[in-house]
Amino acid sequence: MLRRFGDGILILLVLIMGAAWLLGRINDRSDPRLPSRPAETFVVPPSDSIEEEEKGPLLPAPSPFDDQSMVEAQRAGPWSSGTGFAIGDDGVWLTARHVALGCERLGVVNGQDQELVAASLVYVSKRADVAILKTRGGPEPLALDLNEADLQLGATGFHIGFPQGQPGEVVSRLIGRELMITEGAWRGRENTLAWAEVSRSKGLRGTLGGLSGGPAFDARGNVIGITIAESLRRGRVITTSSDSVIQALKEARLSPKGEAIAPLQTNDITRVANRVRRDLKVIQVVCLPPE
């Protein structure tokens, strides 16, 4: 998971499969073994959907006056992990660039029986934190809604994946756009969407590392972006904007078509998230050591 740093703070975290030094950016290191029972999710507030309470004006277009954030890019290394999701029933998956780039051996974990399936990196965006993986066969794809014209500030986002290498979810509210400036292993400038964290899986504290590459859903159950970064200090989650995903799909010559998972509510996200992981529509991506 990418970690934003606006104040120059160094953060040291120890993850399950080894120590990972983080300078502004999480490398998503974790143990690929999954617990037998996903954690529950906090419900905030306990009644009345956030979607109805918090929607505001339409999301403005990208602007030179948007907030900016700096991240330090690092390549994937042995036992680092993230999340991916199905966009084609022939085994095509979207994930974040930093989850896969630099890894010699990629695999995806079948959460049902803990089987590790080999994956190959078939596309890496030159300008955005987007990558595409391929496996031999896959589940029915998720539906994408990449039209931001009707996206409202205050709308609820649902982030599903494997934070810290375990099944988990985060619920957030859209607060606006950010320009993400990347240094390090690669350089780039990318328009992104910033979300304020509202709730997360019970027992999940600290970094959301491992959630990178996972789908961000709207309340209708459509994927509207890829989760790529976080700011623990400010309680923010960062996702790709639609133009980054659209450009990646165009360059990869893909036209995904899938079904929305379900209308989503904060007080029901755990059940739906468990189902999409069980159906392998959302999977854990693992970087394995060289043979």
Side-chain angles (χ1 to χ4, degrees), residues 261-275:
I261 55 174
L264 298 179
Q265 297 285 339
T266 304
N267 59 7
D268 195 37
I269 183 59
T270 296
R271 180 186 63 83
V272 178
N274 289 344
R275 175 166 59 82

Side-chain angles (χ1 to χ4, degrees), residues 84-85 87 90-97 99-109 116-124 130-137 252 254 283-288:
F85 59 96
I87 59 169
D90 54 347
V92 182
W93 311 82
L94 269 178
T95 188
R97 174 179 178 170
V99 168
L101 188 63
C103 183
E104 296 183 22
R105 295 175 60 217
L106 281 166
V108 299
V109 178
L116 189 65
V117 178
S120 56
L121 179 61
V122 297
Y123 170 84
V124 175
V130 180
I132 297 175
L133 307 180
K134 185 74 170 65
T135 60
R136 183 177 297 178
L254 295 173
I283 46 83
Q284 187 178 16
V285 180
V286 181
C287 181
L288 302 170

Side-chain angles (χ1 to χ4, degrees), residues 141-172:
L142 297 172
L144 304 181
D145 183 356
L146 302 176
N147 179 16
E148 292 179 350
D150 60 352
L151 194 56
Q152 293 175 268
L153 299 178
T156 306
F158 301 87
H159 311 263
I160 296 175
F162 294 88
Q164 299 181 20
Q166 301 184 29
E169 307 82 46
V170 171
V171 179
S172 64

Side-chain angles (χ1 to χ4, degrees), residues 6 11 19 25 37 46 58 69 74 77 92 104 122-123 149 156 192 221 273:
I11 300 176
R25 185 166 195 144
R37 181 175 298 176
L58 292 174
S69 59
Q74 297 179 1
V92 182
E104 296 183 22
V122 297
Y123 170 84
T156 306
T192 62

Side-chain angles (χ1 to χ4, degrees), residues 4 59-60 67 152-155 172-178 193-197 234-238:
R4 289 185 45 209
L59 176 70
D67 287 346
Q152 293 175 268
L153 299 178
S172 64
R173 296 192 191 102
L174 180 61
I175 56 178
R177 295 188 183 272
E178 282 194 2
L193 302 185
W195 306 74
E197 183 179 326
R234 303 179 69 183
R236 291 188 179 183
V237 180
I238 309 299

